[in-house]
Structures are given as C-alpha cells and as structure tokens.
C-alpha cells in the first residue's frame, strides 16, 4: 500500500500539467534572478526582480525592499525592467547554444519601442542606462523618431527622404 501511495503521488507530480507548471516557475525564477543583475546595474541599485506566482515582481531596495507588481513601475522603469529581462534571456539562450559555443556574448542590441511614452527626465535616465549597458562591450542601436532622444545619443545614422530616394547622414 505504501508503494502504491508513493507511485500515485509521484504520478500526480509528474502529470504533464504539473511538470509544465514546475518548469515554467523555475524558468521564471531563473530569468528574474539573471535579469536582476542587469536591473540593479541599470537602476543604480534601486530595483531587482523576483518571480512570484507565475508573474514578475519588482523589489524596491530604496523603499525597505518592498515588493510590488511590475505593473506599478513608471514608463522608464518598465523600459529598464524589460531591457534587463531581454538581456538575461539573450544570455541564457547563448548559454544553451549548440556546438560548443556556450557563453557567447550578445554583442549588439537594437531597440525600437517604448521611447514615445517617456517624459524628458526619464528619457535622460534611459540614455544613461543605455550608455552603462554599452560599457564598451556592446553596440546598442536605437531606432527613434523622437528628436530629443536622437540629440542625447553620442552617434547617429539619420535616414531622410531626398527627392525620390532615401539618403543617409552619419553624425
């Protein structure tokens, strides 16, 4: 009877839906842990991430390590959290690479979303964070139609319509 009970319990835990939920929770936990390293650096030590009930939470170290949903973050903070998770995911995928290429770095990153919702102060924080992210190891490209953002970036490739064709200007 004890062996049958053990087999029944094991069978319940190994059901496809139970195993899938466990794997998802563990993957989210690892992604939050890896993303936290980036978020702490980009937010100057203010935020880290945690996985909580199949969702991400943010830990505010400047507010007694209070935890709240990532949905409570401002636009700029959400951008930094998303960027941190994207970097963690990219590094995780590189670690899973086949043919002995594990550990390859993400050498370039192009961002093309989210800047239009940022206020001028947050835009400055994001540019500073991108500069920190660059750190001499990565090419960080930003696709934007926002002149204020373009003016804050150290180098630009501008595309403009000239007559019936597109022209490029590097500055």
């Amino acid at each position: 009877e004890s062996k049958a009970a053990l087999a029944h319990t094991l069978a319940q835990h190994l059901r496809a839906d139970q195993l899938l939920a466990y794997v998802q929770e563990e993957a989210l936990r690892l992604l939050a842990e890896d993303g936290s390293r980036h978020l702490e650096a980009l937010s100057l030590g203010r935020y880290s991430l945690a996985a909580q009930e199949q969702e991400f939470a943010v830990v505010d170290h400047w507010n007694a390590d209070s935890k709240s949903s990532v949905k409570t973050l401002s636009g700029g903070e959400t951008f930094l959290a998303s960027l941190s998770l994207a970097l963690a995911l990219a590094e995780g995928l590189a670690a899973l690479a086949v043919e002995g290429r594990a550990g390859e770095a993400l050498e370039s990153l192009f961002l093309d979303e989210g800047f239009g919702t940022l206020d001028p102060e947050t835009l400055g924080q994001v540019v500073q964070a991108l500069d920190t992210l660059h750190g001499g190891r990565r090419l960080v490209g930003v696709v934007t139609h926002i002149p204020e953002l373009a003016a804050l970036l150290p180098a630009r490739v501008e595309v403009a319509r000239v007559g019936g064709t597109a022209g490029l200007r590097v500055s």
Side-chain angles (χ1 to χ4, degrees), residues 48-68:
S48 63
L49 296 166
Q52 171 174 305
E53 299 178 18
Q54 301 250 346
E55 290 190 13
F56 290 111
V58 65
V59 180
D60 188 342
H61 300 292
W62 293 3
N63 190 20
D65 290 343
S66 63
K67 269 189 192 177
S68 57

Side-chain angles (χ1 to χ4, degrees), residues 91-156:
E91 289 170 355
L93 291 176
L96 295 174
V98 294
E99 299 179 16
R101 297 185 333 213
E104 288 184 358
L106 177 67
E107 295 177 358
S108 60
L109 179 68
F110 289 86
L111 305 171
D112 186 20
E113 290 295 327
F115 299 107
T117 61
L118 304 179
D119 60 74
E121 180 182 331
T122 305
L123 204 53
Q125 289 176 313
V126 167
V127 170
Q128 183 180 6
L130 292 175
D131 191 45
T132 301
L133 174 65
H134 174 267
R137 300 179 330 165
R138 290 185 179 97
L139 166 71
V140 179
V142 175
V143 178
T144 185
H145 299 285
I146 302 170
E148 295 83 7
L149 175 59
L152 295 172
L153 299 174
R156 290 179 290 288

Side-chain angles (χ1 to χ4, degrees), residues 23-56:
V23 170
Q24 286 175 334
E25 286 178 22
E26 185 65 11
L28 283 176
R29 187 191 65 73
L30 290 172
L31 186 56
E33 186 178 294
D34 292 343
S36 285
R37 287 184 292 106
H38 295 291
L39 185 56
E40 285 184 41
L42 293 174
S43 67
L44 305 175
R46 179 167 187 179
Y47 296 116
S48 63
L49 296 166
Q52 171 174 305
E53 299 178 18
Q54 301 250 346
E55 290 190 13
F56 290 111

